[in-house]
Amino acid sequence: MKSYHHEYWERLRKLNYEFLQHCSIEESIAIALRFTLSVPGVHVAIVGTTKPERWAQNVKMIENGALKDEEFQTIRERWDDVAPRSWIGQP
């Protein structure tokens, strides 16, 4: 059985977001966190981690706030173009 981590990694590879080709891992994580906080109605993102020091790192990553609308829409549109309806979150 594949792990959820593996399945999400495969999805990310298929989506092939342009920003991933030009960003470090840390920058990509920051974009993902900021994207989550850019969704209308979302005011808090609870990110699980086994390392308490990651909390401070995550806070630093979102200091720039929500993504610009154009950045948010570009990510959304790519998902709509590539992602099959079977791609849902973890059960």
Side-chain angles (χ1 to χ4, degrees), residues 45-64:
I46 300 173
V47 180
T49 180
T50 59
K51 299 180 180 182
E53 64 274 11
R54 291 271 168 89
W55 183 88
Q57 292 169 342
N58 289 343
V59 169
K60 184 157 181 61
M61 287 181 180
I62 61 169
E63 283 180 341
N64 292 328

Side-chain angles (χ1 to χ4, degrees), residues 7-45:
E7 288 183 29
Y8 282 122
W9 176 249
E10 288 300 314
R11 290 179 186 184
L12 191 57
R13 288 183 52 213
K14 288 178 185 175
L15 287 163
N16 195 27
Y17 287 115
E18 186 176 332
F19 70 84
L20 293 175
Q21 299 168 20
H22 309 286
C23 292
S24 67
I25 292 172
E26 291 79 15
E27 291 168 324
S28 298
I29 293 168
I31 290 171
L33 290 171
R34 291 177 61 214
F35 174 83
T36 300
L37 293 172
S38 299
V39 175
V42 173
H43 303 286
V44 175

